[in-house]
């Protein structure tokens, strides 16, 4: 069974007809030619398919496209404005937070989402005191590692990724 859905992807409104079993990742990559989110495991284990879906980070390989008709999606390719890199992307470059780059679009989207979660005061599994306000700019390395733990990097660029997210967190007001 097919269904028509409309998505706004990186600011562009797109309409596509998909089999109702199609994942959001496959709808983006195979039907809409949006290849910034990557397919790694296709099982929700690696994070490389992460996008911002209606403002929150989301694994597109675990989402059915039809469940998100009308959604607004921002991929790593759509994060920057006016041709400039998003500050988190710049931090990844400045800190060598990548090697082959395959995981990087997912890492960057996840970092943007994680910092927004912290800015909204969301605790993580390792937040020591749930009674204290969480602030993005004071996240410990342990907090950053935990909040980014859904994004794997087979190249092992974790030291640079941590430094990039830490710098981005410290830059948050
Ligand atoms: S491809 Fe989605 S989590 Fe790995
Ligand atoms: S930079 Fe190669 S998998 Fe992360």
């Amino acid at each position: 069974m097919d269904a028509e859905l409309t998505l706004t992807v990186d600011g562009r409104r797109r309409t596509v007809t998909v089999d109702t079993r199609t994942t959001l990742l496959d709808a983006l990559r195979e039907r809409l030619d949006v290849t910034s989110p990557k397919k790694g495991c296709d099982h929700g284990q690696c994070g490389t398919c992460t996008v911002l879906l209606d403002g929150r980070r989301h694994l597109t390989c675990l989402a059915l496209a039809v469940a998100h008709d009308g959604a607004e999606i921002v991929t790593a390719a759509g994060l920057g404005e006016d041709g400039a890199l998003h500050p988190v992307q710049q931090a990844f470059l400045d800190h060598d937070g990548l090697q082959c780059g395959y995981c990087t679009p997912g890492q960057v989207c996840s970092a943007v989402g994680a910092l927004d979660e912290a800015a909204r005061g969301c605790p993580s599994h390792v937040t020591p005191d749930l009674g204290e306000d969480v602030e993005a700019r004071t996240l410990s390395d342990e907090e950053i590692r935990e909040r980014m733990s859904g994004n794997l990097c087979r190249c092992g660029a974790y030291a640079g990724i941590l430094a990039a997210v830490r710098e981005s967190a410290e830059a948050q007001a």
Side-chain angles (χ1 to χ4, degrees):
M1 184 179 152
D2 289 347
E4 184 182 278
L5 60 143
T6 302
L7 302 167
T8 302
V9 185
D10 294 335
R12 197 171 148 207
R13 199 172 149 88
R14 313 283 301 271
T15 299
V16 64
T17 300
V18 293
D19 185 293
T20 51
R21 295 165 295 182
T22 306
T23 65
L24 187 54
L25 179 61
D26 283 344
L28 289 170
R29 289 185 56 85
E30 309 298 333
R31 304 300 309 282
L32 295 173
D33 256 347
V34 175
T35 55
S36 173
K38 303 290 184 276
K39 184 181 283 190
C41 64
D42 211 20
H43 282 85
Q45 295 169 344
C46 72
T48 192
C49 64
T50 306
V51 302
L52 298 172
L53 176 62
D54 291 330
R56 306 280 172 93
R57 55 181 171 162
H58 212 91
L59 299 176
T60 52
C61 73
L62 291 187
L64 281 175
V66 289
H68 297 284
D69 186 22
E72 179 149 2
I73 293 167
V74 178
T75 74
L79 278 173
E81 287 180 13
D82 301 327
L85 292 177
H86 184 281
V88 171
Q89 291 173 314
Q90 188 62 54
F92 269 70
L93 276 183
D94 293 344
H95 292 279
D96 286 336
L98 64 150
Q99 287 180 36
C100 78
Y102 195 80
C103 72
T104 311
Q107 298 277 4
V108 167
C109 284
S110 193
V112 171
L115 293 177
D116 178 60
E117 286 158 23
R120 287 186 285 108
C122 301
S124 81
H125 181 65
V126 299
T127 302
D129 183 352
L130 296 183
E132 261 187 34
D133 287 346
V134 174
E135 284 187 58
R137 63 189 170 83
T138 58
L139 289 179
S140 65
D141 286 358
E142 186 187 20
E143 280 269 14
I144 293 171
R145 285 194 188 97
E146 167 62 21
R147 289 168 189 265
M148 292 294 294
S149 62
N151 290 77
L152 306 182
C153 174
R154 289 185 67 178
C155 296
Y158 293 113
I161 292 168
L162 175 64
V165 180
R166 188 196 304 119
E167 182 184 90
S168 302
E170 287 168 355
Q172 293 225 344

